[in-house]
Amino acid sequence: MSYQVLARKWRPRSFREMVGQTHVLKALINALDSQRLHHAYLFTGTRGVGKTTIARIIAKCLNCETGISSTPCGTCSVCREIDEGRFVDLIEVDAASRTKVEDTRELLDNVQYSPSRGRFKVYLIDEVHMLSTSSFNALLKTLEEPPPHVKFLLATTDPQKLPVTVLSRCLQFSLKNMPPERVVEHLSHVLTAENVPFEDDALWLLGRAADGSMRDAMSLTDQAIAFGEGKVLAADVRAMLGTLDHGQVYGVLHALIEGDARGVIEAVRHLAEQGPDWNGVLAEMLNVLHRVAIAQALPDAVDNGQGDRERVLQLAQALPAEDVQFYYQMGLIGRRDLPLAPDSRGGFEMVLLRMLAFRPADADDAPRVTLKPLGISQATADSRQAPVAGPAMAAPAAVVPASSPAAAAAAPVEPPPVAAPPAPQAEPPAPAMVELPQSESTPPAPVASLAPEPEPEPVAAAAVVDLPWEAPAVAESPQPASETAPPANAVVAEPVQAPAVAPAAVPSAPQESLPAAPVADGDEDEPPPGDYDYVEMGAETLDYDFGQAEAETPTVVEPLPAVAPATGLAAEWLSLFPQLGLGGMTGSIAANCTLIEANGDDWLLHLDPAHSVLFNPTQQRRLNDALNQQQGRSIKLRIELCKPEQETPAQAAARRRAERQRSAEASIQADPLVQQMIQQFAARVREDSIEPIDTPS
């Protein structure tokens, strides 16, 4: 007896023998058991997942001599003939070889006749997407309302090519790819029944090489048995498939971890002795890195299908998580660029050298990932410790009590006796604070610190300096300080009521003696940065230049006034523009145009070159369409970039806005109440706050 390949010998003959596809089998079994039978079924999926097998099983279920059920007997003449492929009422059609409409018509001519032996006449059309458009059209009516004794079973690997009219007439079942775990399980069962010795690693290699197809897995297993002389060994399968030993992949990864360029090149040289597919080598590296990333997130999820679970866990401990993601991304980009390299080996070496050259900085000092169940991330734990990690938080707080005394100690010409103890070296010096001159009537107050709350220890250390605010004045004159001045060691201070001004503006003699120049670094116009953002200005002593603020306020650029007012065609364009109902970029272009010529249906517009950046053929077409709709006729519009000499709609709108603004300002200035406030309180009218309340016409 001739040898029968495993794929045909182990083809399932009932639903119980099917591997996977539970979502499809459940629907079919329930439909057969409850006699809810459809007249057309469509099975989709990639090659070797069981489309034709399921169709043949359905044919047996429908025509079995024991009756319609989901469990055909398999022993009657009908079941045996279907298994042997010689049942007369099961018409199997290869649509790839019979694509013409004449073939379809010949097939449909026999639909009206009753089955010869079976209960139903079953048409199994494989690769149905290969039919021509005419064949589909010829099949539609019969597929929609076939005779009661006819069932259609369609199978295809490309359902996107089927017309929607065919899809709507069928019950569609999408078969899934086989995962490697299920393929390995089935191969183990088959080889055990065939008494063929095998290794688990070899089955995993076959399962991954099958790429989701059980038929491919069975065919590769046949080839492996022949290659290994009756045995399925991992080394033989690896040599047959041209795949690599994972030990060499781990050698490359360990060289990358150590940053050893010589080791990387040596590993590539050993790989080159086997003549591998370098794209496949990169794929194996990415597969290992993927498992390492899974091990770092959830160690229990790492499978031992290749017998390397311990090595994966060791890599997960040795590699930082950011390095794993970096190497994986670089490998993906390398696979994309590998066909562009002069030769595959050189491209592979450049990928590895790129990984070495651009690896994250300070990778040797990066924290290693501790393998444990998912919990609080390391980033969350680090963020909680960040506020107490360095001394930067205590330095600004130390400025608060030593603001005025430290400033006095920093001046070489005024050494007060009590300020002799130097400030701590860790504290920033006085230039971070600004000493503001005070008037005679207003008691001075210390400037608030940049820190939200001062530390208690620096405050206690600076409390020995018991000086009033006018400490420099005490240094020149022995008279006691004012009793109303607050102590220098106060932690919370009142907001400063006056901005920094020149010393000459203060009439008091003691205030004139204050050395403001050393604090401001000799430049009264540029005080040290950082303090004015935190000083609250008082309205009573605020010396604010509203004219300067108005000059700094950004203004909206208005269109320049026209050379001449709009007359003739330009005036007609001003009245026509609001009727077009344009907005956005097209409206902006039309608003900056003026009508130059209107010879019948030929119109010419001049567009301001300053707005030509928005102009393109699409905007011209939209403007032309709006004109056609408004005029009720077809207009041939031309637009030239030229400075309009007469007023455009945009300039007219700007002119009207300016007129309304001037009218509003004149109305405010003439208001009696406003004039009274100006005379009695020396008030000033901010013209930028005046807006007209009337809407433009």
Side-chain angles (χ1 to χ4, degrees):
M1 183 177 180
S2 61
Y3 174 75
Q4 191 175 20
V5 298
L6 295 178
R8 296 183 59 187
K9 182 179 180 181
W10 287 89
R11 181 190 290 271
R13 290 174 170 81
S14 65
F15 289 136
R16 294 190 304 270
E17 298 177 4
M18 285 291 299
V19 179
Q21 315 301 346
T22 308
H23 63 293
V24 175
L25 300 181
K26 181 178 180 180
L28 295 176
I29 291 173
N30 293 338
L32 289 168
D33 291 340
S34 60
Q35 304 296 315
R36 300 179 64 89
L37 303 178
H38 202 269
H39 59 269
Y41 296 87
L42 174 62
F43 301 102
T44 65
T46 57
R47 76 277 179 271
V49 293
K51 300 183 297 294
T52 306
T53 299
I54 292 179
R56 292 179 178 176
I57 295 175
I58 291 178
K60 287 200 299 184
C61 293
L62 294 175
N63 293 289
C64 183
E65 295 178 356
T66 60
I68 301 176
S69 66
S70 61
T71 55
C73 65
T75 57
C76 64
S77 59
V78 173
C79 293
R80 291 198 306 270
E81 290 176 5
I82 292 177
D83 290 337
E84 296 171 2
R86 55 186 180 88
F87 185 60
V88 66
D89 290 327
L90 176 60
I91 300 97
E92 296 193 19
V93 180
D94 181 16
S97 60
R98 303 186 64 179
T99 61
K100 297 181 180 180
V101 65
E102 292 81 4
D103 299 329
T104 304
R105 288 173 181 171
E106 180 183 355
L107 182 69
L108 296 178
D109 287 342
N110 298 322
V111 170
Q112 56 184 336
Y113 300 112
S114 300
S116 300
R117 290 194 55 197
R119 195 175 291 107
F120 294 95
K121 182 180 289 188
V122 181
Y123 287 88
L124 174 55
I125 306 178
D126 203 359
E127 301 299 334
V128 68
H129 67 275
M130 299 294 291
L131 292 178
S132 63
T133 304
S134 301
S135 298
F136 280 123
N137 294 333
L139 185 64
L140 284 180
K141 192 60 180 177
T142 305
L143 190 63
E144 182 180 4
E145 296 179 357
H149 58 270
V150 173
K151 301 294 181 185
F152 286 96
L153 304 179
L154 312 180
T156 178
T157 57
D158 197 355
Q160 288 79 12
K161 294 183 179 180
L162 295 182
V164 67
T165 52
V166 173
L167 296 175
S168 64
R169 288 166 168 81
C170 303
L171 288 184
Q172 183 174 350
F173 296 94
S174 180
L175 279 69
K176 301 177 181 178
N177 287 358
M178 298 291 178
E181 294 81 5
R182 192 172 296 277
V183 174
V184 170
E185 180 183 354
H186 185 62
L187 291 181
S188 177
H189 169 70
V190 170
L191 294 179
T192 301
E194 293 286 334
N195 295 320
V196 176
F198 63 90
E199 293 179 353
D200 290 338
D201 293 349
L203 298 188
W204 279 99
L205 291 173
L206 294 173
R208 283 191 295 273
D211 195 19
S213 173
M214 186 63 74
R215 182 175 60 226
D216 290 1
M218 301 293 283
S219 300
L220 289 174
T221 303
D222 260 327
Q223 183 180 355
I225 293 174
F227 187 90
E229 298 180 354
K231 298 179 182 179
V232 181
L233 304 179
D236 295 337
V237 173
R238 190 175 291 111
M240 180 190 73
L241 298 177
T243 56
L244 293 174
D245 184 7
H246 273 270
Q248 294 179 323
V249 175
Y250 284 108
V252 174
L253 290 176
H254 282 297
L256 286 176
I257 295 174
E258 298 297 331
D260 184 8
R262 182 182 298 275
V264 170
I265 299 300
E266 284 294 322
V268 174
R269 185 179 62 82
H270 288 300
L271 285 172
E273 294 176 355
Q274 303 180 10
D277 176 19
W278 298 104
N279 191 17
V281 177
L282 267 179
E284 289 294 331
M285 289 183 58
L286 294 176
N287 182 34
V288 174
L289 290 172
H290 167 249
R291 298 175 65 201
V292 169
I294 292 179
Q296 291 177 345
L298 191 62
D300 296 339
V302 180
D303 64 86
N304 196 28
Q306 301 178 5
D308 59 349
R309 186 174 187 274
E310 294 300 325
R311 303 184 72 172
V312 170
L313 295 177
Q314 291 176 2
L315 272 180
Q317 290 278 11
L319 267 176
E322 59 270 19
D323 284 14
V324 175
Q325 299 297 327
F326 169 75
Y327 291 148
Y328 189 87
Q329 186 66 25
M330 294 293 285
L332 286 180
I333 298 175
R335 288 195 68 189
R336 182 196 65 188
D337 297 342
L338 198 59
L340 305 178
D343 64 279
S344 299
R345 176 178 175 178
F348 179 76
E349 289 179 346
M350 283 301 299
V351 172
L352 298 181
L353 294 177
R354 196 178 304 135
M355 292 179 178
L356 285 177
F358 295 99
R359 65 186 304 178
D362 300 329
D364 296 336
D365 300 330
R368 298 297 187 251
V369 178
T370 303
L371 298 184
K372 60 182 180 179
L374 294 178
I376 300 176
S377 65
Q378 188 67 23
T380 306
D382 294 342
S383 63
R384 294 178 180 178
Q385 299 175 1
V388 295
M393 298 300 294
V399 180
V400 178
S403 59
S404 184
V413 295
E414 295 175 331
V418 292
Q425 296 296 328
E427 300 176 1
M433 309 300 297
V434 176
E435 186 174 357
L436 303 178
Q438 307 292 329
S439 61
E440 294 181 353
S441 59
T442 305
V447 180
S449 170
L450 297 181
E453 292 183 5
E455 296 292 339
E457 294 182 358
V459 172
V464 296
V465 183
D466 191 8
L467 287 177
W469 180 258
E470 294 84 355
V474 176
E476 292 185 359
S477 177
Q479 61 183 0
S482 174
E483 297 179 358
T484 60
N489 57 357
V491 176
V492 181
E494 293 292 335
V496 176
Q497 299 297 326
V501 295
V506 183
S508 174
Q511 295 294 337
E512 291 178 354
S513 63
L514 289 176
V519 178
D521 295 334
D523 191 355
E524 299 174 356
D525 295 333
E526 296 183 359
D531 288 346
Y532 288 112
D533 294 339
Y534 298 92
V535 175
E536 181 180 353
M537 297 299 179
E540 296 81 1
T541 58
L542 187 61
D543 187 10
Y544 187 83
D545 190 357
F546 289 97
Q548 180 182 359
E550 293 173 0
E552 296 177 355
T553 303
T555 58
V556 179
V557 179
E558 292 287 350
L560 296 177
V563 177
T567 58
L569 293 177
E572 294 180 7
W573 181 253
L574 291 182
S575 60
L576 178 61
F577 171 73
Q579 303 175 16
L580 299 179
L582 294 175
M585 296 174 59
T586 308
S588 177
I589 292 173
N592 289 277
C593 290
T594 184
L595 183 59
I596 302 301
E597 295 181 5
N599 299 327
D601 293 338
D602 293 336
W603 287 28
L604 173 63
L605 295 179
H606 278 182
L607 172 62
D608 190 349
H611 298 271
S612 61
V613 68
L614 304 176
F615 178 68
N616 54 49
T618 301
Q619 305 301 332
Q620 180 174 352
R621 177 179 55 81
R622 292 177 179 175
L623 179 55
N624 200 347
D625 294 343
L627 283 173
N628 294 341
Q629 183 178 2
Q630 196 276 336
Q631 294 291 324
R633 54 195 174 98
S634 178
I635 295 176
K636 183 179 180 181
L637 179 65
R638 292 181 296 116
I639 299 179
E640 297 179 355
L641 299 180
C642 182
K643 183 69 175 180
E645 297 181 356
Q646 300 190 38
E647 194 173 48
T648 64
Q651 292 172 337
R655 174 178 53 78
R656 290 192 295 267
R657 285 195 300 269
E659 291 175 356
R660 296 199 321 273
Q661 181 68 25
R662 286 193 295 268
S663 176
E665 293 176 0
S667 175
I668 291 296
Q669 293 291 349
D671 187 90
L673 181 59
V674 174
Q675 293 296 328
Q676 182 180 1
M677 295 177 62
I678 293 176
Q679 295 175 2
Q680 294 184 3
F681 303 104
R684 296 177 60 185
V685 178
R686 294 191 58 178
E687 296 181 355
D688 60 344
S689 64
I690 302 175
E691 295 182 3
I693 59 175
D694 57 331
T695 57
S697 57

